[in-house]
Amino acid sequence: MSRAKKIAFKEIAKRITGFSLPVFGIQWNPPESEREVVRETFLFLEDRRALYNDFAHEIDYEVLESILSIRKELTEALKRLPEASKAVPYFKSMRAACREYLDATRGDGRRWSAPFSFMTQLGRFRTIVGMNIAHLAVTFGIDIEGELARVVLPEVQDEKYLEA
C-alpha cells in the first residue's frame, strides 16, 4: 500500500483564486513546474550575446547591459522557484558570477585597469555560467539549443560526459 503525499492546507489555499455559486466551483492556479522555469530561463539566455559572441565583437558597455539583464532575469526566476528546488544553487551561482563581473569591471573607477581585464573577466563569467547551464540541463532534462550551446565548455559538450 502506498503512502499518500501530505499536502499542506496553506499550499492549497495559496492557489485558490475564487469560488463560484450556485453550482459549487473553484478556480485554481497550479504550481509552476521547476523545469518550466529553467527552460524559460534558457530561452532568455539564448539571446544574450555576452555569453557567446566572439571577444573581438564585444563592446564593454553592451556586455555590461547584457549582464545586468541576465542578473535581473535570474533573480526573477529565483522568485518563482521553491526554496528547495535543485535549480536554486545553480541560479544563485550564475547570479553571483554576474555580480563578480560587475564588481571586477567597476572596481577603481576606470573601466579596465589592464588591457586584457575585459576578456579575462568575460571569459571567467562565461565559464561559470556555462558549467551551471550544463548542470541544469542534465538535472532537468533540457536540451541546450542555438547559440547558448557555445557557452558550454567543449568537455561538457561531449556526449560521453553527459551520459556519465
Side-chain angles (χ1 to χ4, degrees):
M1 186 169 163
S2 65
R3 273 184 112 183
K5 180 180 176 187
K6 179 181 175 183
I7 301 174
F9 173 79
K10 290 179 183 179
E11 283 299 311
I12 296 169
K14 284 193 302 190
R15 301 192 196 309
I16 295 174
T17 61
F19 294 97
S20 62
L21 297 171
V23 177
F24 182 75
I26 191 167
Q27 296 163 355
W28 173 267
N29 282 335
E32 188 172 22
S33 153
E34 294 175 45
R35 185 180 188 281
E36 187 63 21
V37 174
V38 173
R39 191 189 70 76
E40 288 176 9
T41 303
F42 278 14
L43 288 172
F44 173 82
L45 294 175
E46 285 175 8
D47 193 38
R48 300 289 95 197
R49 294 180 318 161
L51 292 174
Y52 54 79
N53 249 10
D54 291 334
F55 286 111
H57 297 124
E58 292 291 15
I59 301 169
D60 61 351
Y61 70 87
E62 289 178 352
V63 171
L64 175 71
E65 288 175 13
S66 187
I67 291 177
L68 286 168
S69 179
I70 291 168
R71 186 179 70 171
K72 182 178 179 181
E73 183 71 17
L74 293 169
T75 299
E76 292 303 315
L78 282 165
K79 290 178 184 178
R80 294 166 49 203
L81 290 168
E83 285 181 71
S85 170
K86 292 179 181 178
V88 167
Y90 300 113
F91 277 51
K92 284 185 175 183
S93 176
M94 289 188 287
R95 196 172 61 165
C98 291
R99 285 191 310 271
E100 181 181 305
Y101 174 87
L102 295 169
D103 290 345
T105 58
R106 293 185 184 174
D108 61 4
R110 294 178 296 174
R111 266 302 201 207
W112 307 108
S113 56
F116 297 107
S117 181
F118 172 72
M119 290 184 284
T120 302
Q121 293 303 323
L122 186 55
R124 178 171 168 68
F125 171 75
R126 289 176 175 179
T127 299
I128 293 167
V129 170
M131 290 302 296
N132 282 285
I133 287 172
H135 286 289
L136 284 164
V138 170
T139 301
F140 290 93
I142 301 172
D143 293 336
I144 302 170
E145 298 180 10
E147 298 294 334
L148 189 59
R150 292 178 61 188
V151 77
V152 178
L153 298 175
E155 298 83 31
V156 178
Q157 292 175 8
D158 185 356
E159 290 180 23
K160 293 177 186 173
Y161 178 84
L162 294 175
E163 291 173 1

